[in-house]
Amino acid sequence: MTNLQLLWFILIGILFAGFFFLEGFDFGVGMSVQTLAHNEKEKNQIIRTIGPFWDGNEVWLLTAGGAMFASFPYWYASLFSGFYLILLLILVGLIIRGVSFEFREHFPEERKGIWNWTLTIGSGMVPFFFGLMFVDLIKGMPLGEEGNMTATFTDFVNPFSVVGGVALTLLCYLHGLNYIALKTEGPIRARARNYASFFYWILYVGLAVFAGMLYFQTDFFALHFGTTLGLLLVIILFTVIATIGVFKEKERMAFFASGLTLIALVALLFTGLFPRVMISSIDSSYDLLIANASSSPYTLKIMSYLSLTILPFVLAYTVWSYYIFRKRVRSLS
C-alpha cells in the first residue's frame, strides 16, 4: 500500500464524515417537518433553517462518490453493482426529498400535505438505507474472487443491518433537532429540545445493541481492538456531551457534539474496514484491499494536486455561506 492510496482512502472517509455532519442535520430537519411541527407556519419555519444549505450539503456525497470512482474504481464497481437496489432506494429518497422543497412552495396551503410527507419520508429513507449498507459492509457480504457479489435478501436486510439503519436515522434526527433548537425562535425551539431529551435515552439503548452486535458479528475487535473500543467510547462520550447540552439548553454544544458523533461513526466504519474496502463473507482471501482496488499512482498523483488546489476554495465558500445565514429563523406571521 502506497502513501497516496492511504491518503485517498482517508480523504473518502473525510468526505463521508463531512456529508453526514452537514447533511445529517438536513435529514433530521426534514424528518421533523411532520413529527415536530404542529402547523404549516412551523413547518415553513423549520424548512427555512436549511433553505440556503440543503442542496449544497449534498455535494459532499457527490464528491465522495466521484472520488471513489476515480481513486478506487474496483471498490466503486463492486459497491455500486452489489448494492444497486439499496443505492437506488437512497437515490429515490434524495429525489423525492429534493422535489418536495420546490413543489410545496408552489401549492396552496391545503395541498402541501403530500409534499410535507414526501420530504419527511425521503429524509428518513436516506440515512436508514445508508445505515443498512454500512452495516452490511462491516459485516461482510458474499463477495467472489473477481469482486462480484451474489447476495440474497437476508444478506442485505437482517437484524444487525436494521439496527444500524435505525441507529443512523435516529442520530440524524437528533442532529436535526439540535440544529432546529440552535437556529429557531419561539415554541418550536423549546419543543425540539424536549423531543431530543426523550430520544437520546432511546439512542443509548440502540448504541448498546449496536456495540454488542459489532462485537459478536464482525472482526472489528479482533483486528483493531484498541481503535474500535476507543472509537466506541468516543461515540458514547459525544452522545453524553450532546445530552448534557440538551438538558442544560446549551444548543451549540449539543449540535456540535451530535455532529461529532456522526463523524466518529464514519471513522469507526473506515477504521474497521482498513486495510480492506470490501469484506467477503465467503473467504477472507476474496477481500478487496486498498492496495489492489486503487487507480494507478499517476492518477492518484494528479487527483491529489487538483484536490489540494480546489478544496480550500470549497471549504472557504461553505464557511462563508454558514456565516452569512447564521441568524435564528423566526416564524412568519
Side-chain angles (χ1 to χ4, degrees), residues 36-56:
L36 182 68
H38 287 174
N39 53 58
E40 205 62 40
K41 288 181 181 179
E42 290 184 346
K43 292 173 184 177
N44 290 333
Q45 182 185 10
I46 287 174
I47 292 172
R48 283 169 51 225
T49 63
I50 57 172
F53 312 122
W54 69 268
D55 49 353

Side-chain angles (χ1 to χ4, degrees), residues 230-291:
L231 285 170
L232 284 173
L233 292 175
V234 167
I235 290 170
I236 294 170
L237 175 63
F238 283 137
T239 304
V240 171
I241 293 172
T243 307
I244 293 171
V246 169
F247 279 97
K248 289 187 174 292
E249 299 185 6
K250 295 183 177 180
E251 294 152 351
R252 194 179 301 276
M253 181 175 81
F255 170 71
F256 281 104
S258 60
L260 290 171
T261 304
L262 287 164
I263 290 177
L265 197 62
V266 174
L268 177 66
L269 166 68
F270 276 76
T271 301
L273 283 176
F274 184 85
R276 307 158 297 184
V277 289
M278 294 284 286
I279 301 172
S280 174
S281 59
I282 300 174
D283 190 327
S284 60
S285 65
Y286 297 161
D287 290 349
L288 194 59
L289 305 178
I290 295 172

Side-chain angles (χ1 to χ4, degrees), residues 20-261:
F20 280 106
F21 184 97
L22 296 174
E23 190 72 353
F25 70 76
D26 270 4
F27 295 143
V29 170
M31 287 184 273
S32 298
V33 169
Q34 288 293 89
T35 59
L36 182 68
H38 287 174
N39 53 58
E40 205 62 40
K41 288 181 181 179
E42 290 184 346
K43 292 173 184 177
N44 290 333
Q45 182 185 10
I46 287 174
I47 292 172
R48 283 169 51 225
T49 63
I50 57 172
F53 312 122
W54 69 268
D55 49 353
N57 291 341
E58 290 183 356
V59 172
W60 287 79
L61 178 60
L62 297 175
T63 307
M68 186 185 293
F69 172 77
S71 59
F72 294 97
Y74 296 106
W75 183 14
Y76 179 92
S78 293
L79 181 71
F80 276 70
S81 60
F83 287 96
Y84 178 82
L85 290 177
I86 301 295
L87 290 167
L88 177 62
L89 290 170
I90 290 172
L91 182 60
V92 169
L94 289 171
I95 291 172
I96 64 174
R97 180 176 179 272
V99 299
S100 299
F101 286 109
E102 303 298 331
F103 283 11
R104 71 182 302 279
E105 293 298 320
H106 300 285
F107 277 74
E109 186 170 317
E110 63 274 10
R111 296 178 60 192
K112 287 185 177 181
I114 184 173
W115 302 114
N116 292 331
W117 274 112
T118 53
L119 176 55
T120 298
I121 293 170
S123 298
M125 283 177 63
V126 179
F128 175 77
F129 285 111
F130 260 123
L132 206 75
M133 184 178 75
F134 286 158
V135 168
D136 288 336
L137 278 174
I138 64 178
K139 179 176 62 66
M141 296 294 283
L143 194 70
E145 186 176 6
E146 296 181 354
N148 297 318
M149 190 185 298
T150 54
T152 62
F153 178 79
T154 54
D155 289 314
F156 294 112
V157 182
N158 50 75
F160 190 16
S161 65
V162 170
V163 167
V166 172
L168 184 57
T169 305
L170 185 55
L171 276 168
C172 289
Y173 184 56
L174 284 163
H175 194 33
L177 290 175
N178 292 333
Y179 179 77
I180 291 169
L182 179 65
K183 287 289 292 182
T184 59
E185 296 180 355
I188 201 74
R189 179 184 178 189
R191 199 180 307 137
R193 287 199 301 263
N194 291 336
Y195 273 48
S197 64
F198 171 76
F199 280 106
Y200 264 112
W201 299 116
I202 299 176
L203 179 63
Y204 284 114
V205 176
L207 288 177
V209 174
F210 176 78
M213 288 183 162
L214 191 69
Y215 180 81
F216 288 106
Q217 298 193 31
T218 72
D219 61 2
F220 272 41
F221 283 91
L223 291 177
H224 311 285
F225 179 82
T227 306
T228 301
L229 182 61
L231 285 170
L232 284 173
L233 292 175
V234 167
I235 290 170
I236 294 170
L237 175 63
F238 283 137
T239 304
V240 171
I241 293 172
T243 307
I244 293 171
V246 169
F247 279 97
K248 289 187 174 292
E249 299 185 6
K250 295 183 177 180
E251 294 152 351
R252 194 179 301 276
M253 181 175 81
F255 170 71
F256 281 104
S258 60
L260 290 171
T261 304

